Amino acid sequence: MPKKHDPVDALLRSGPRRTHLPEPAERARLRGGYGLTQAEVAAALAVTRATVAGWESGRSEPQGATRAAYAKLLEGIAAQLAPAEPDSGPGQEPVRAPAPPPDPPEPTPTPAPATSAPSTPRPAVAGKRPAPRNGAPRRPASAPTAELPAPDPQFVNGPLAVLDGDGNAYCVGGLVLNCPAKDIPALVEWALGDAGIGAPRLDRNGRDSDPLIVLTESAALRLGLPAELEDRRGLRLPDDHKVNKQIAKAKWTLTKRGFGPWARIYRPAREGRRQCVQLAVLPWDALDQRGWPGAATLPPAELAHVLGTYAARVITPCGSTAVSGLELMTALRPPTRPVKDPATGTWASGPVPGSLTRAVDPAPPEAPDEHPVVAALHPRGHWRTPDEVIDEEAHDWIRDPQLLTDAECARKYAVGIDVNTAFLAAANRLPVGLGEPVHLTSPDFDKALPGSWLIDLSGIEMDPRLPSPFTPRGSRPTGPAWYATPTVAYAHELVAGYGLPVTLRPIEAWVRPEHGPYLDPWHKRLADAYRTTMAELGVTTDLDEHAFLAAMEDHKRSDPGSAAVLAAIKSTVKGGIGKLRERPQGAGYRPGERWPALRRPTWRPDIRAAVIATARVNMHRKLLRTAAATQSAPPPAGRLYFDDDALLPIALLSDGVVFLSDSPSPLDLLPRTTDGRPAPGAFRLGVSPGMVKHEGTKPLLWAAQLLDEGLNPARHIKDGVDAVAEGE
């Protein structure tokens, strides 16, 4: 007789069924923080990847022995990640602690919530998208279908939504949700509750992105907002506006910037979860034409695709492209992490190695005129001389037309070339200061030490047909002046490389012993975004020079949406660097007072100076190598002069340079080796950051006339438009 089945034993063999599990969102966060994919977890537990996705989205729960094994896995991951895993609240540095996080502090003049996007692209999800949690109907939208990262289980509908006046919320991937909100408080509740939008953190010590809701003009009117702001200076709704009263009545809070084009609305964190929503109001120029050309006029579905692409490759927009560029730095290198006290077992915030962890005052020569450091040293209105203030800016130089040679005047064309994302290339592996400056007198120069140096570089004599690399206008220094480390390092390079009879000795310095390549993750993410977007426009890294020039002819016309993303990426680079030295804003500011931006760890004018100096000397180094590769004989030792047949510039503007040539094509202009390859160290055509593209070609007489009028041909050689106004 077979043994009778014991139902009690069967239950026991099935394993515990009520094993405690973290909340669904926490499950996804732990897995992602440990670096596991859903497929890896599924293989370990002998289930399908879709099953794991269901557990992480809350649509299903594991049972029996599988539940126990899943709980064991998550508990083990949490134990290993506990010292480094944050549970951040809005506006505070992430820290896992028993007490709930405090309210968010008021931000700097331009609202800049920390947002993020998926750090690595994942395959697009096949089949149907998960239904919205409120069961709202959805219908396909006429949006582009280019591949975007799969949604995170915690944010099933992507990072953002574009809302129209009919309550349709257009998300990435063509998804359309029904938004029933009739006022701003209801919209915020919907965004945090039923919308399922947001994006995961870019660094495990950072924080997840807040949902972004983009309001079209019809949506703004439906929610009670005016079609335009009357306060054109403050760019905010009046405090007594009915929308502000609705927000206050619902116990939501606006930042000190108020309700403007980029409005941030929040409540204190609840159960360790952020309660913040970012709004972008299109009729109030939230997407300005320079940073987002043509984007504001796109249909909602297309705009959601464009902004979603930027969010996936860079960061969810949280303000102007400059604000987003600065926020990306913090998102990739958060200032603090949770650290456990072994004695008490409590958690507290600790600095993240390699990050900017606290706000520090600049050295006196690095501070802008408005800074309290300067006010303490000089009377108001004092004009600081080069030995009192650093002046590391991009080149804006033209050659004296009297110095054009007969051979140059016989050429037919002015050919402009432009360095791709020059500031981004300059940030690569650049050591920058992380802490406070230290003052030194009569120091020995150390090129590995970031800082500012007072030194006399006037003894370095340059070919008069070339700009000096030590001043923005290209004029020769007249005495001691302050320079960033990259500029002084280049001066030593010139003295040693050309055997110049000059002794360089710093008089004093402000240096930062604590330093590192802080901008490296920022550089990598933006460089990848730039190359990916260029490839989407048909300009890839494997093209030869002829194919590259052909692809660049109309790459922006092939896809207006991708062209807008490309412009935003380039504007993010320049704007992010510029924000490192944000000046005071608003009519209420008084000289000598501190302004809100100074509270940021990322208010660092010394880092801005180092990036710009590196870009400027990189350009000058290529100019010298181009000249050396095109002249018949090397320059004599002890002199930095070139023969008349050398290729020398007639104009420079930041990352653009103009040469005179017998041919309209840069292919016939740039120097080559005997085997036809680009000359080492000279300009090279290509799509990658630091390589160059063709900016434009004009007749020689056009360029000569501008030089005679004291105007810069590099500014106007691109189809006659102002290169600076175009964001180049």
Side-chain angles (χ1 to χ4, degrees):
M1 293 284 296
K3 185 177 179 180
K4 186 176 180 181
H5 175 70
D6 187 343
V8 175
D9 289 340
L11 288 175
L12 291 174
R13 283 195 302 269
S14 69
R17 296 186 179 181
R18 294 298 90 194
T19 305
H20 172 72
L21 289 174
E23 291 296 315
E26 180 70 2
R27 302 169 195 174
R29 190 181 69 81
L30 287 171
R31 173 186 56 75
Y34 201 68
L36 295 176
T37 65
Q38 290 178 343
E40 289 173 318
V41 174
L45 300 177
V47 297
T48 65
R49 188 203 64 80
T51 299
V52 175
W55 297 344
E56 292 184 351
S57 65
R59 296 194 302 273
S60 62
E61 288 288 318
Q63 300 295 331
T66 302
R67 183 183 181 94
Y70 188 40
K72 180 180 179 182
L73 173 65
L74 295 178
E75 183 179 5
I77 291 175
Q80 293 190 47
L81 294 185
E85 279 289 351
D87 191 5
S88 58
Q92 68 167 28
E93 306 308 340
V95 54
R96 183 181 296 277
D103 294 358
E106 297 299 343
T108 56
T110 303
T115 59
S116 57
S119 57
T120 55
R122 288 172 281 182
V125 175
K128 294 183 178 180
R129 296 285 301 276
R133 279 172 279 176
N134 65 349
R138 62 180 189 272
R139 56 186 179 276
S142 56
T145 57
E147 183 175 308
L148 290 172
D152 185 276
Q154 186 179 352
F155 308 112
V156 293
N157 295 327
L160 54 89
V162 180
L163 186 65
D164 69 12
D166 296 323
N168 300 314
Y170 297 80
C171 303
V172 298
L175 178 69
V176 183
L177 304 176
N178 175 40
C179 175
K182 299 295 179 61
D183 56 37
I184 293 296
L187 175 65
V188 173
E189 296 278 4
W190 176 82
L192 291 172
D194 295 328
I197 59 175
R201 64 200 69 187
L202 294 179
D203 182 274
R204 68 181 186 180
N205 293 311
R207 58 193 186 190
D208 294 337
S209 162
D210 300 323
L212 169 63
I213 305 294
V214 181
L215 303 180
T216 61
E217 182 174 0
S218 59
L221 294 175
R222 179 176 185 242
L223 296 169
L225 298 173
E228 62 181 31
L229 286 173
E230 294 182 4
D231 182 0
R232 302 306 302 168
R233 184 167 187 173
L235 290 178
R236 56 186 291 168
L237 282 179
D239 292 339
D240 59 354
H241 192 277
K242 67 176 183 179
V243 169
N244 284 331
K245 293 179 179 179
Q246 291 170 352
I247 293 171
K249 184 177 180 180
K251 301 190 184 311
W252 289 99
T253 305
L254 286 161
T255 62
K256 283 186 177 179
R257 286 287 292 171
F259 204 121
W262 289 90
R264 182 181 175 212
I265 304 174
Y266 67 92
R267 278 178 184 161
R270 183 175 61 190
E271 298 178 357
R273 293 187 180 277
R274 293 169 60 81
Q275 295 191 91
C276 297
V277 173
Q278 180 77 61
L279 302 180
V281 188
L282 293 183
W284 299 353
D285 297 325
L287 299 179
D288 65 280
Q289 181 65 17
R290 183 169 176 176
W292 292 94
T297 60
L298 292 173
E302 294 181 29
L303 179 58
H305 173 77
V306 168
L307 296 178
T309 301
Y310 179 88
R313 295 174 187 170
V314 183
I315 193 171
T316 304
C318 52
S320 67
T321 49
V323 170
S324 297
L326 194 69
E327 277 301 310
L328 182 62
M329 297 179 194
T330 303
L332 293 168
R333 284 197 186 270
T336 62
R337 62 178 178 177
V339 177
K340 189 174 184 178
D341 186 338
T344 63
T346 59
W347 295 93
S349 288
V352 175
S355 291
L356 301 178
T357 59
R358 65 192 187 282
V360 297
D361 274 344
E366 299 165 350
D369 291 341
E370 303 91 341
H371 200 281
V373 166
V374 178
L377 295 175
H378 304 290
R380 183 176 177 181
H382 173 74
W383 182 265
R384 290 193 287 171
T385 55
D387 61 343
E388 294 174 330
V389 61
I390 194 169
D391 187 23
E392 295 285 15
E393 300 294 342
H395 262 137
D396 185 356
W397 167 86
I398 60 173
R399 196 200 300 182
D400 184 344
Q402 300 299 320
L403 297 178
L404 294 175
T405 65
D406 292 340
E408 289 174 325
C409 291
R411 294 168 185 164
K412 299 179 180 179
Y413 302 100
V415 180
I417 58 175
D418 181 82
V419 179
N420 301 324
T421 57
F423 290 165
L424 185 61
N428 187 24
R429 300 303 301 167
L430 178 67
V432 299
L434 302 177
E436 296 179 353
V438 176
H439 186 247
L440 304 175
T441 55
S442 301
D444 293 325
F445 176 69
D446 183 352
K447 66 179 182 180
L449 200 56
S452 301
W453 308 78
L454 180 62
I455 188 171
D456 189 353
L457 302 180
S458 62
I460 298 179
E461 185 178 354
M462 192 79 54
D463 189 311
R465 295 170 296 168
L466 281 168
S468 168
F470 310 127
T471 62
R473 302 295 294 185
S475 56
R476 185 175 176 178
T478 57
W482 285 97
Y483 304 96
T485 296
T487 301
V488 183
Y490 185 58
H492 280 79
E493 178 184 322
L494 293 177
V495 170
Y498 290 88
L500 304 180
V502 179
T503 300
L504 301 178
R505 182 69 184 177
I507 301 169
E508 61 176 304
W510 289 90
V511 298
R512 288 174 168 80
E514 183 187 357
H515 57 83
Y518 170 75
L519 293 173
D520 265 14
W522 187 82
H523 163 268
K524 182 180 186 306
R525 186 163 179 86
L526 284 167
D528 289 345
Y530 176 79
R531 280 189 288 260
T532 299
T533 307
M534 289 296 287
E536 197 170 70
L537 291 165
V539 188
T540 57
T541 56
D542 59 351
L543 297 177
D544 62 30
E545 292 178 320
H546 291 85
F548 168 72
L549 290 176
M552 289 295 292
E553 282 294 322
D554 61 352
H555 72 289
K556 292 184 179 180
R557 293 188 290 272
S558 62
D559 183 348
S562 293
V565 174
L566 177 65
I569 291 170
K570 294 196 291 186
S571 186
T572 299
V573 173
K574 287 193 173 183
I577 296 300
K579 274 283 183 180
L580 292 169
R581 195 189 66 170
E582 183 178 352
R583 310 295 277 266
Q585 303 176 22
Y589 172 76
R590 296 293 178 266
E593 294 179 351
R594 303 188 75 85
W595 59 96
L598 302 187
R599 296 197 294 263
R600 293 194 321 247
T602 50
W603 192 86
R604 292 295 300 273
D606 57 298
I607 296 180
R608 174 187 178 274
V611 172
I612 295 176
T614 301
R616 194 181 65 247
V617 301
N618 283 349
M619 169 70 85
H620 198 272
R621 186 182 291 111
K622 283 184 169 63
L623 291 175
L624 295 189
R625 291 177 179 173
T626 297
T630 53
Q631 68 174 1
S632 55
R639 298 190 66 192
L640 232 172
Y641 281 71
F642 295 92
D643 293 343
D644 286 351
D645 59 349
L647 182 63
L648 296 171
I650 64 166
L652 278 177
L653 181 68
S654 186
D655 43 13
V657 56
V658 178
F659 295 100
L660 298 180
S661 174
D662 292 321
S663 168
S665 172
L667 287 173
D668 303 319
L669 172 75
L670 301 180
R672 300 184 177 278
T673 60
T674 54
D675 60 358
R677 297 182 180 181
F683 296 105
R684 182 172 182 174
L685 290 167
V687 69
S688 296
M691 301 177 78
V692 300
K693 61 181 180 292
H694 183 210
E695 188 74 352
T697 296
K698 296 290 183 182
L700 166 69
L701 293 179
W702 172 89
Q705 181 177 353
L706 289 182
L707 292 178
D708 286 338
E709 295 173 359
L711 302 176
N712 193 330
R715 183 181 294 271
H716 304 285
I717 201 166
K718 184 181 179 181
D719 300 324
V721 301
D722 189 319
V724 173
E726 288 292 298
E728 294 294 339

